[in-house]
Amino acid sequence: MAIATVPLTLALLLLALCLLPAQPAYIAYNTTPSIVPGKINVHLVPHSHDDVGWLKTVDQYYVGANNSIRGACVQNVLDSVISALLDDKNRKFIYVEVAFFQRWWRQQSDAMKIKVKELVDSGQLEFINGGMCMHDEATPHYIDLIDQTTLGHQFIKKEFGQIPRVGWQIDPFGHSAVQAYLLGAELGFDSLFFARIDYQDRAKRLKDKTLEVIWRGSKSLGSSSQIFTGIFPRHYDPPDGFVFEINDVSPPVQDDVLLFDYNVQERVDDFVAAALAQANVTRTNHIMWLMGTDFRYQYANSWFRQMDKFIHYVNQDGRVHALYSTPTIYTDAKYTANEEWPLKFDDFFPYADHPNAYWTGYFTSRPAFKGYVRAMSAYFLAARQLEFFKGRTSSGPNTDALADALAIAQHHDAVSGTQRQHVAADYALRISIGYLEAEKLVASSLSFLADSKVGMGEKKSTTNFQQCPLLNISHCPPSEAALQNGKRLVIVIYNPLGWQRNNVVRIPVSDENLIVQDSGGKIIDSQLLPVSNATLKLRSFYTKAYLGASPTESVKYWLVFSASVPSLGFSTYTVSAATQTGPHSFMSTVSSSRESPDATIEVGQGSLKLVYTADAGKLTQYVNTRNQVRANAEQSYSYYSGNDGTDKDPQASGAYVFRPNMTYPIKSDQKFI
């Protein structure tokens, strides 16, 4: 009988081949979104928080420039996210900052715009908040909050026919009841979400399961002012171990059986544990995971690939249920849960993230920039009204540039004063460019209205109006030069408010004998106040810095008079030289030579006067000659010395956190000049 033999080496080779696992087939991940009653539903919300300026300027963040400061490119985020959404109809993403999206949108082809509109229509891409930026809630004026949000919503409505339903203030440093009322209940939002509340408040709410509340922004308006509000259990990033930017350290799901590090069950267990932990501090069986943080999704597939796997394998496991979601879907699920939510009144201020770290420094950080934003906001309101009264033309000046600049200036790292210096300069430059354009509009509109005098006729304007943006340093060339050689100065004062105003007007002049007349020719009371040495020094220094040259005119006085201006209207006053014997402006007196260090300035008419030092502008006396009262006053200036941090407690005082190194301020008699 013949026996077949096989060489030993060949037998071992055949055995090894038999032991090798089969090549795994392509895995089609099931990510169909659904909500399962009776299970904990984990709503995965992909997002990227893109600051409209902070460490880098808004342009640098968008194009990815100056990456030595921060490797961030918003253009890459949007390109990458849109591509990933088009790859799988089940994926979702929310976007917030319209200032960035608007730029990206302008650069897209018509074919790409059609695809993006389909993503928006299907709910894959959803606009949340919808303002030009995520604004601060402590330092802006509420009108600015409304304006910047309106500007973003107008873009979304025009391009996509959508109106955002959810407020998303995840990063501002504390929260105002004004946000809950005006931009929550009044705007029609269904819900409002944020991350930053005091660490002690968060700890108590975690314990009591009161992170989600009904927030009433106004006690007097009751339930009409309330909105469902969610506070995140942690910051606005994912749970530990679930951050998947391409250079992050969270372990990915490895589901290829050929890999030595196959870890599907391990990662599913991690997911379930994190979900159960959050469910223990949240009411109902719905929890939200924020899958993203600052400037993430620059390579979106690194996130979506992992979330696809987690949804697929977690749902196969069955202990909890995961789905792609948005805050809107999450809010709808909460509404249908028939849960009774606790009520919240008042603000979420002040905010501290740990002991001795109250974020109240930003209330006063960069005060000059805060003042500039507020002044330009008021100017924008008036300019926009005048633009409407005159009528907008395609070729003429407009308010668009100022509107855009003021909108991004409301960002929580802009008007708050927490941005880098070069970023603050960039914000200010944008506002300045917008102001120069709006200034032309205001001049032409007032000229048009003053010349036509009746309604909205098409009469061509012949009057050339000039404005004085440097009045705060007593620099106004029209008022300084117009009264020479017997000329008259016409002053037009516009009131953008809905009620009559009576205000004191102050302009710098060089002449002494002046009269002020209203539009009917009636002489009204006026007063001349000597310009102090301190003001003249400021005028010389800042005029040279601003204009590059010293002022040519010699200013001696402030001409002051009371003006009455109708609502949404203007009044005209004329300043001219007075006759030697006729009425003229009342001259305030200076008690001694202006060059003397003891010089004082008396302010006031009749029996009541206030006495100030001429050099430093400090109040020294209150005088009532009618009652023979002369009371001395002492005015001093104080400051807190900031804590610079120690190894034991490194929290220093700065742009964000106000932390003095003592309880009481230090008094200082140092003069301004």
Side-chain angles (χ1 to χ4, degrees):
M1 182 169 90
I3 301 176
T5 60
V6 179
L8 179 61
T9 55
L10 180 59
L12 292 174
L13 178 61
L14 291 173
L15 177 62
L17 290 174
C18 292
L19 292 175
L20 284 177
Q23 184 68 23
Y26 165 76
I27 301 176
Y29 299 110
N30 181 9
T31 58
T32 303
S34 63
I35 290 175
V36 178
K39 283 189 179 181
I40 295 172
N41 290 271
V42 185
H43 295 250
L44 303 182
V45 177
H47 80 106
S48 178
H49 174 57
D50 300 336
D51 291 298
V52 185
W54 175 32
L55 304 177
K56 304 197 296 187
T57 69
V58 59
D59 286 351
Q60 291 169 346
Y61 271 134
Y62 179 73
V63 301
N66 209 359
N67 279 342
S68 60
I69 294 177
R70 173 68 187 268
C73 177
V74 176
Q75 190 173 22
N76 284 350
V77 172
L78 291 169
D79 284 341
S80 184
V81 164
I82 296 302
S83 176
L85 294 179
L86 291 172
D87 285 344
D88 187 338
K89 66 179 181 179
N90 293 328
R91 294 171 174 175
K92 297 185 184 297
F93 193 83
I94 64 170
Y95 201 72
V96 176
E97 292 82 9
V98 173
F100 282 135
F101 190 89
Q102 191 179 58
R103 294 182 181 204
W104 182 85
W105 184 252
R106 288 196 297 260
Q107 300 169 359
Q108 304 310 304
S109 66
D110 290 340
M112 176 57 74
K113 287 182 177 181
I114 291 173
K115 294 179 181 179
V116 174
K117 287 182 178 180
E118 291 174 352
L119 292 176
V120 174
D121 290 341
S122 68
Q124 279 190 264
L125 176 62
E126 184 174 341
F127 294 103
I128 303 293
N129 230 24
M132 298 296 285
C133 67
M134 188 182 296
H135 55 238
D136 182 42
E137 296 184 35
T139 56
H141 194 280
Y142 75 91
I143 291 295
D144 293 330
L145 304 186
I146 294 172
D147 283 349
Q148 83 87 15
T149 303
T150 301
L151 197 61
H153 281 211
Q154 286 176 336
F155 169 81
I156 296 170
K157 179 68 174 176
K158 176 183 176 183
E159 297 294 338
F160 301 98
Q162 301 273 352
I163 299 176
R165 292 177 50 191
V166 175
W168 193 255
Q169 290 289 104
I170 63 175
D171 198 25
F173 325 126
H175 302 277
S176 167
V178 171
Q179 174 76 28
Y181 170 54
L182 284 178
L183 296 182
E186 284 295 309
L187 188 62
F189 281 165
D190 296 333
S191 55
L192 171 63
F193 295 93
F194 51 76
R196 296 186 185 271
I197 63 170
D198 184 88
Y199 70 101
Q200 300 161 99
D201 190 8
R202 188 192 304 277
K204 187 176 188 307
R205 291 180 180 278
L206 285 168
K207 180 180 178 181
D208 299 341
K209 293 189 176 182
T210 56
L211 284 168
E212 293 174 324
V213 300
I214 300 297
W215 190 7
R216 287 187 179 175
S218 170
K219 289 184 179 180
S220 62
L221 296 175
S223 60
S224 66
S225 67
Q226 69 189 27
I227 185 171
F228 177 77
T229 302
I231 305 158
F232 305 136
R234 47 183 294 122
H235 204 47
Y236 53 81
D237 45 2
D240 293 338
F242 295 91
V243 182
F244 298 112
E245 196 72 13
I246 194 169
N247 57 347
D248 281 318
V249 297
S250 298
V253 177
Q254 300 185 60
D255 57 349
D256 186 342
V257 295
L258 295 180
L259 295 175
F260 288 175
D261 295 330
Y262 182 87
N263 66 351
V264 170
Q265 191 59 49
E266 178 186 346
R267 291 267 58 201
V268 168
D269 291 343
D270 293 339
F271 188 102
V272 173
L276 292 175
Q278 184 167 332
N280 286 333
V281 297
T282 309
R283 302 188 185 195
T284 79
N285 63 332
H286 295 276
I287 63 175
M288 183 195 300
W289 281 13
L290 278 72
M291 301 303 292
T293 183
D294 292 7
F295 300 102
R296 295 306 198 266
Y297 289 81
Q298 295 187 66
Y299 180 60
N301 275 331
S302 66
W303 285 87
F304 284 113
R305 181 186 298 118
Q306 297 305 314
M307 285 187 286
D308 287 349
K309 293 181 180 182
F310 272 114
I311 293 172
H312 178 78
Y313 291 116
V314 165
N315 292 347
Q316 277 188 350
D317 177 85
R319 285 175 287 174
V320 300
H321 184 76
L323 68 152
Y324 279 120
S325 187
T326 69
T328 302
I329 296 172
Y330 178 78
T331 299
D332 290 342
K334 288 289 185 176
Y335 273 135
T336 59
N338 296 320
E339 180 71 26
E340 184 174 341
W341 304 100
L343 283 175
K344 161 69 179 177
F345 302 95
D346 303 323
D347 300 325
F348 285 94
F349 285 124
Y351 162 63
D353 57 348
H354 59 273
N356 298 322
Y358 282 93
W359 292 42
T360 55
Y362 76 100
F363 281 80
T364 55
S365 298
R366 299 193 185 277
F369 181 68
K370 283 180 166 65
Y372 188 46
V373 171
R374 188 61 53 83
M376 289 298 99
S377 171
Y379 189 86
F380 172 63
L381 175 64
R384 191 167 48 174
Q385 292 174 357
L386 290 168
E387 184 177 32
F388 171 78
F389 290 149
K390 182 186 176 184
R392 186 165 181 148
T393 61
S394 58
S395 59
N398 57 58
T399 59
D400 290 350
L402 185 55
D404 289 340
L406 285 173
I408 66 172
Q410 309 313 315
H411 171 56
H412 60 268
D413 280 305
V415 68
S416 60
T418 55
Q419 69 277 50
R420 293 279 181 91
Q421 179 56 51
H422 74 285
V423 181
D426 183 75
Y427 286 133
L429 177 61
R430 293 172 185 276
I431 295 174
S432 176
I433 293 171
Y435 166 77
L436 291 176
E437 180 75 6
E439 184 183 39
K440 299 174 185 177
L441 168 73
V442 168
S444 62
S445 297
L446 284 176
S447 178
F448 175 85
L449 295 175
D451 282 353
S452 61
K453 294 184 182 297
V454 286
M456 310 299 291
E458 295 295 330
K459 181 178 178 180
K460 184 178 180 180
S461 174
T462 58
T463 305
N464 180 27
F465 281 101
Q466 301 180 57
Q467 298 166 61
C468 296
L470 299 182
L471 271 179
N472 62 324
I473 56 170
S474 69
H475 182 68
C476 182
S479 68
E480 297 165 24
L483 298 172
Q484 297 178 359
N485 302 321
K487 295 181 180 179
R488 297 187 308 161
L489 175 67
V490 178
I491 301 173
V492 176
I493 306 166
Y494 178 73
N495 174 20
L497 300 180
W499 53 88
Q500 179 176 310
R501 293 180 64 183
N502 295 300
N503 282 74
V504 173
V505 177
R506 187 176 71 164
I507 60 171
V509 296
S510 303
D511 304 69
E512 293 185 4
N513 297 319
L514 300 173
I515 59 171
V516 180
Q517 297 171 282
D518 62 17
S519 57
K522 178 184 176 182
I523 296 177
I524 62 174
D525 291 336
S526 59
Q527 184 177 6
L528 290 172
L529 301 176
V531 177
S532 68
N533 289 336
T535 301
L536 290 175
K537 291 178 182 179
L538 284 171
R539 164 187 161 89
S540 178
F541 176 80
Y542 285 107
T543 303
K544 187 172 183 179
Y546 189 85
L547 301 176
S550 298
T552 56
E553 300 294 335
S554 175
V555 172
K556 298 179 181 178
Y557 310 102
W558 287 107
L559 175 64
V560 182
F561 62 93
S562 180
S564 178
V565 191
S567 62
L568 294 175
F570 64 93
S571 296
T572 305
Y573 293 87
T574 303
V575 181
S576 59
T579 62
Q580 295 297 322
T581 58
H584 58 83
S585 298
F586 175 81
M587 177 74 73
S588 292
T589 60
V590 179
S591 62
S592 61
S593 169
R594 282 158 49 102
E595 302 303 323
S596 169
D598 298 325
T600 59
I601 297 176
E602 291 184 354
V603 177
Q605 297 189 53
S607 59
L608 298 177
K609 294 183 185 299
L610 298 176
V611 182
Y612 293 86
T613 59
D615 58 346
K618 293 183 178 180
L619 178 65
T620 61
Q621 282 187 329
Y622 161 80
V623 180
N624 187 333
T625 56
R626 177 183 299 174
N627 299 328
Q628 300 300 310
V629 173
R630 181 177 290 270
N632 293 329
E634 180 181 351
Q635 183 180 0
S636 62
Y637 301 95
S638 303
Y639 66 92
Y640 285 97
S641 177
N643 191 304
D644 58 2
T646 64
D647 292 337
K648 183 178 179 181
D649 187 357
Q651 179 62 63
S653 188
Y656 293 93
V657 173
F658 171 66
R659 190 183 180 195
N661 61 4
M662 62 192 64
T663 304
Y664 300 103
I666 300 172
K667 288 187 177 181
S668 172
D669 291 324
Q670 183 178 2
K671 298 177 181 179
F672 288 123
I673 299 297

